[in-house]
Amino acid sequence: MTAPLAATQPDDVASAAIERRPLERYVAPAKPSLVGLSRAALAEALGVAGVPDRQRRMRVHQIWRWLYVRGAQDFDEMTTLSKDLRSELAQRFTLARPEIAAEQVSVDGTRKWLIRLPGEVAGQPHEVECVYIPETDRGTLCISSQVGCTLNCSFCHTGTQRLVRNLTPGEIVGQVVLARDRLADWTQPSPASGGGKGGGGEGDKRLISNVVMMGMGEPLYNFEAVRDGLGVVADGEGLSISKRRITLSTSGVVPNIARAGTEIGVMLAVSLHAVTDELRNELVPLNRKYPLRELLDACRNYPGLSNARRITFEYVMLKGVNDSLADARALVRLVKGIPAKINLIPFNPWPGSKYECSDWEQIEKFSEVIFNAGYASPVRAPRGRDILAACGQLKSATEKLSARERLALRAMAMTD
Ligand code: SAH
Ligand code: SF4
């Protein structure tokens, strides 16, 4: 089940204009993959394969470690399972990850994968992008929650993509698994471990230490799949990326913010980008449905919020649009009383975009106002710009703008 989309309500005229694209349906492969199932779903699958009730817990435990500590890609690697069980499983299931359609490596080490998912519409495959960003003290994987996005923020490339569907929990977890495959980021067998043990615990140094759900899509419009998928990613006996190291970014789906706190429990980032409803309506049209006051109230009441668990407010720096020092002061007033960090994101241009990034001096001055008011105000260094992997530049290769669309966007920019 996916969170109901208000866009599908025929009587909701205002929201239909905001969330304008229909969702495509997921087409399940004939032989399903075990990758990404929750423990309960995995136990159920084992039941289908004839594993008796009393053995299921133990088998789930074993398979879980093979899948998420060792990154097994073949049932035959699972040497703690009997040969019979392995072949029984192989007849019914796979360990398939989403397929990599293309890989690009930036001069700064950022890697972007174009990922092909099952399903196509009019010959067009369902695709998402996933980006790995290495830093000195951590490695962050940016994952997607939807093919495209039903919203259309005016500065975001993903929002221009026509095709939209929700990812399954398996496809969400699959991005992390696939990135660990490509980066050889699994625990290697130790001679004494006998195969199924080792790794996943404290002191285990992995390249991917953090996950941000800041790729394609609006995660809170795919609530259940995101909750279940991130539950698997955070599981301490498997992929083991703790909830403190997972950040979910939302454009402000107010009714699901409290649920995200209680049911998902990861760190929250909110795409603010403007300090008045008038401007936010234009930049993030969802604001017309959930205006600033409601959004900030939801943030103030975010379950588990504390000085150690702050909300990150994201603010894209658009030259001459939202980057005045008066804006910076208003921003500080707006978030007053909320344990917060403010993350300034230099605007990343994309073909046909109608904005420019603020000048560097202006970003620095803006950041200073915020810093002087007592907030951390890091400026997000653009990464992987040369391969269009930076924030908001993601868009599947098959969905590049046509020449006519580019012209239309340019014309819009001129009349604005
Ligand atoms: N849909 C979610 C998460 C994906 S977008 C959301 O909107 O929050 C991740 C972040 O990148 C958001 O803060 C988004 O506003 C920002 N972003 C989108 N397009 C951008 C662009 N062209 N330049 C810089 N940041 C952008
Ligand atoms: Fe969707 Fe987020 Fe892009 Fe807005 S910024 S169009 S919500 S992906």
Side-chain angles (χ1 to χ4, degrees), residues 99-296:
E99 183 193 332
I100 295 185
E103 177 180 63
Q104 283 174 283
V105 184
S106 157
V107 287
D108 68 14
T110 299
R111 279 168 190 252
K112 180 170 86 165
W113 296 287
L114 177 66
I115 295 177
R116 187 157 299 158
L117 304 170
E120 59 163 56
V121 171
Q124 201 173 66
H126 291 177
E127 289 174 336
V128 290
E129 287 172 337
C130 174
V131 181
Y132 170 66
I133 306 146
E135 287 171 275
T136 41
D137 59 338
R138 71 177 80 184
T140 303
L141 189 71
C142 176
I143 62 174
S144 295
S145 57
Q146 298 183 306
V147 176
C149 185
T150 55
L151 302 172
N152 56 330
C153 302
S154 55
F155 53 88
C156 174
H157 202 195
T158 306
T160 65
Q161 187 165 327
R162 264 182 252 114
L163 186 64
V164 180
R165 89 155 160 83
N166 281 334
L167 264 57
T168 64
E171 290 168 340
I172 291 167
V173 179
Q175 295 171 69
V176 181
V177 168
L178 185 141
R180 283 214 160 138
D181 288 345
R182 290 299 293 165
L183 298 167
D185 195 24
W186 296 110
T187 301
Q188 299 307 314
S190 71
S193 74
K197 294 197 178 95
E202 261 176 67
D204 206 17
K205 197 96 184 98
R206 299 296 182 87
L207 292 175
I208 299 173
S209 59
N210 293 54
V211 166
V212 293
M213 192 159 256
M214 295 185 182
M216 288 181 171
E218 171 45 60
L220 295 190
Y221 270 161
N222 185 13
F223 191 89
E224 282 82 2
V226 165
R227 175 194 61 201
D228 297 350
L230 291 183
V232 175
V233 174
D235 188 295
E237 289 180 12
L239 292 167
S240 235
I241 298 170
S242 84
K243 291 185 175 180
R244 298 290 304 273
R245 289 178 172 271
I246 300 177
T247 303
L248 178 156
S249 172
T250 179
S251 58
V253 184
V254 167
N256 282 346
I257 287 182
R259 280 187 76 195
T262 48
E263 294 179 40
I264 310 180
V266 295
M267 308 299 280
L268 184 72
V270 171
S271 295
L272 197 62
H273 305 319
V275 292
T276 64
D277 280 321
E278 195 190 358
L279 180 59
R280 197 162 188 273
N281 285 347
E282 189 189 317
L283 300 180
V284 185
L286 187 63
N287 192 71
R288 287 190 259 142
K289 194 166 173 190
Y290 306 119
L292 275 171
R293 213 174 61 97
E294 288 178 29
L295 176 59
L296 291 162

Side-chain angles (χ1 to χ4, degrees), residues 344-413:
L344 303 179
I345 317 176
F347 170 66
N348 289 308
W350 38 273
S353 57
K354 60 176 176 174
Y355 299 106
E356 273 179 73
C357 181
S358 308
D359 296 330
W360 191 249
E361 303 88 83
Q362 189 62 17
I363 297 180
E364 277 187 337
K365 282 189 209 149
F366 196 100
S367 161
E368 213 173 277
V369 171
I370 293 165
F371 181 79
N372 288 341
Y375 293 94
S377 56
V379 178
R380 193 181 292 172
R383 300 291 303 264
R385 266 189 177 176
D386 54 332
I387 56 168
L388 281 187
C391 297
Q393 291 182 309
L394 302 183
K395 189 173 185 207
S396 319
T398 47
E399 275 287 325
K400 295 266 185 278
L401 292 182
S402 68
R404 199 198 295 161
E405 284 171 313
R406 280 202 301 273
L407 277 177
L409 274 167
R410 266 193 220 120
M412 266 164 55

